[in-house]
Amino acid sequence: MAWTLYTATYELRSPLHIGYHKVGNLQRTRYYIPARNLWGAVTEALTRRGFSTTDVPQGDYQKIGEWVKAHCAFGYWFIQDNGAPLHPRYGENGLKYGDLTAAEFERRYLDAHVTTALDPATTSAQHGSLHEVEFIAPHNRDGARTRVGGWVFLDKTLDWPAWLGDLRVGGERRYGFGQLRLVSFSEGDNREWQLDGGRPSIKRKPGEPLLAHTLVQNVAARGTIEPLVGRETHGDSRRFGMRLTPAQVCWVPGSVVEQDTRFTLEPDGVWKPEA
């Protein structure tokens, strides 16, 4: 069955933290939403709201997650500025997001929250608990509501606005972070994508940026490489996120390809070069 491409746009109704790495006491955020985080958010929302279909009973996180992975595919979602996505891209003057330099982007969209735990014995700050959480702010420096969005691919009928009008994405959700509200969901421009195969695929030409983590093997590009590891929960929910996925060495989003290459969008959102 062929895939259908849609474009989704959400407003941030709270700070958004996408776990990246830690620098001192600062827990940094990624500046975009990876497909893997979207898969988790959609699985959680469908399960909590009573979604079911053939061979997928209500309330079964595992099977609903497998259904989402099989029948939904996600591009990475980026911040939008006046309706245009701020795609990352490495150039001669370093990394830019749309027309913004990395520093301009950070001043416009990022903020941080400092917190600490209290020691009940002394009612003062607990030693070693002070930390700072970086986040994408719900309003930019001009006071406008921050929006994020990107590609969604479906090969089954799913009333997306009815089921997924609100999403909770990323980390720090128990503190109210990561609340997104749908603004628009419509069929997108599929001129770049090939949608009649087993998975969606896209061709990148020399000088075009990669818009997701991309396996480095057999890909000539300029940019940054990092190992990509995810966390999974199996069986016992008390061991939330305790299982690590195998590391994949990837070009990070924004790296620029140097030769024509076609990529397949894998179930975990990573782009894989076609042989």
Side-chain angles (χ1 to χ4, degrees):
M1 184 174 177
W3 295 84
T4 302
L5 167 63
Y6 299 91
T7 299
T9 300
Y10 282 79
E11 280 185 347
L12 268 61
R13 309 304 292 187
S14 71
L16 172 65
H17 175 79
I18 304 296
Y20 188 16
H21 62 82
K22 195 172 182 180
V23 180
N25 290 330
L26 174 64
Q27 187 66 51
R28 295 196 60 201
T29 183
R30 291 192 185 276
Y31 300 167
Y32 46 81
I33 306 178
R36 185 177 182 79
N37 295 70
L38 296 170
W39 166 72
V42 168
T43 298
E44 187 269 342
L46 291 178
T47 305
R48 186 161 45 85
R49 293 165 188 168
F51 175 82
S52 66
T53 185
T54 306
D55 298 328
V56 179
Q58 282 188 18
D60 191 322
Y61 265 95
Q62 188 76 29
K63 289 191 174 180
I64 291 176
E66 292 169 359
W67 186 91
V68 173
K69 191 170 286 186
H71 301 293
C72 307
F74 307 100
Y76 280 32
W77 288 7
F78 300 95
I79 291 176
Q80 297 182 352
D81 187 76
N82 292 321
L86 297 179
H87 288 156
R89 179 174 182 154
Y90 285 93
E92 294 181 357
N93 298 317
L95 181 61
K96 298 184 73 173
Y97 294 84
D99 292 329
L100 302 177
T101 65
E104 290 170 338
F105 178 92
E106 290 165 1
R107 281 197 298 271
R108 188 170 178 77
Y109 289 105
L110 297 190
D111 208 334
H113 174 69
V114 180
T115 187
T116 187
L118 289 178
D119 184 341
T122 62
T123 63
S124 60
Q126 192 175 63
H127 179 68
S129 66
L130 180 66
H131 65 284
E132 190 170 3
V133 178
E134 183 182 55
F135 58 82
I136 299 172
H139 296 86
N140 66 26
R141 292 301 180 195
D142 296 332
R145 182 74 69 175
T146 302
R147 292 185 172 188
V148 297
W151 293 311
V152 175
F153 305 86
L154 302 176
D155 75 347
K156 293 282 188 182
T157 300
L158 176 66
D159 189 346
W160 186 280
W163 285 103
L164 303 164
D166 293 284
L167 285 176
R168 298 175 64 196
V169 182
E172 304 294 317
R173 285 176 295 183
R174 60 180 171 173
Y175 300 113
F177 281 34
Q179 299 179 36
L180 275 59
R181 182 169 299 169
L182 184 64
V183 174
S184 66
F185 186 81
S186 59
E187 285 201 35
D189 182 350
N190 65 359
R191 284 176 294 181
E192 290 187 298
W193 288 89
Q194 185 172 316
L195 302 174
D196 55 358
R199 300 288 302 177
S201 69
I202 188 171
K203 184 178 180 180
R204 297 273 87 178
K205 299 176 182 178
E208 291 183 331
L210 299 166
L211 299 180
H213 281 94
T214 304
L215 299 179
V216 298
Q217 191 169 10
N218 300 324
V219 177
R222 291 177 286 108
T224 301
I225 291 172
E226 68 175 5
L228 185 65
V229 180
R231 290 184 177 275
E232 294 181 344
T233 303
H234 289 268
D236 190 349
S237 61
R238 291 172 299 182
R239 297 178 59 80
F240 178 81
M242 295 296 288
R243 179 172 172 178
L244 298 179
T245 62
Q248 301 181 93
V249 181
C250 296
W251 291 105
V252 303
S255 300
V256 176
V257 296
E258 295 186 324
Q259 62 187 34
D260 285 355
T261 310
R262 178 167 288 279
F263 300 94
T264 300
L265 201 166
E266 294 291 282
D268 60 359
V270 169
W271 287 10
K272 179 182 178 181
E274 293 185 356

